[in-house]
Amino acid sequence: MKKYIEIPMEVLERLVDDKCVEGSLRRDRWTGKISFKAYNRQSRIREKDRLVKKLPWGWVKESLLRVKVYGSFPKDLGTARVMGLLEDHTRDAKNALIDREIIDFI
């Protein structure tokens, strides 16, 4: 059985340009024709995170909704030293946030 599929011209243009087109095939209830409906995919435009402060073992950044703290410590320092560095890292991150608030307030 052969069926003809109705494809919009915009979709054919994208196919000619070797681009992928995502969508769905549907059968019209009344006419019985199969038609292709392309998904309207929107690209996500996201604001980049703003660097608050670069720390010795990581960074503090802020996005629109969150404050992000990253720390990465070498294993060869030992557990006790890494725990001490983690305390220092957290204190430095807190101070960076306080400094940011003071600068933004002025």
Side-chain angles (χ1 to χ4, degrees), residues 51-69:
L51 181 68
V52 175
K53 185 174 182 182
K54 174 83 172 83
L55 300 174
W57 301 103
W59 45 254
V60 179
K61 290 183 180 182
E62 76 174 339
S63 67
L64 290 175
L65 301 176
R66 299 187 180 275
V67 174
K68 302 174 184 180
V69 180

Side-chain angles (χ1 to χ4, degrees), residues 57-58 71-77 81-82 85-87 89-90:
W57 301 103
S72 178
F73 306 95
K75 280 186 171 180
D76 61 351
L77 295 178
R81 184 131 184 247
V82 168
L85 287 172
L86 189 58
E87 294 282 332
H89 184 78
T90 305

Side-chain angles (χ1 to χ4, degrees), residues 6 12 25 28 65 102:
E6 194 173 310
L12 285 175
L25 287 174
D28 190 309
L65 301 176
I102 290 172

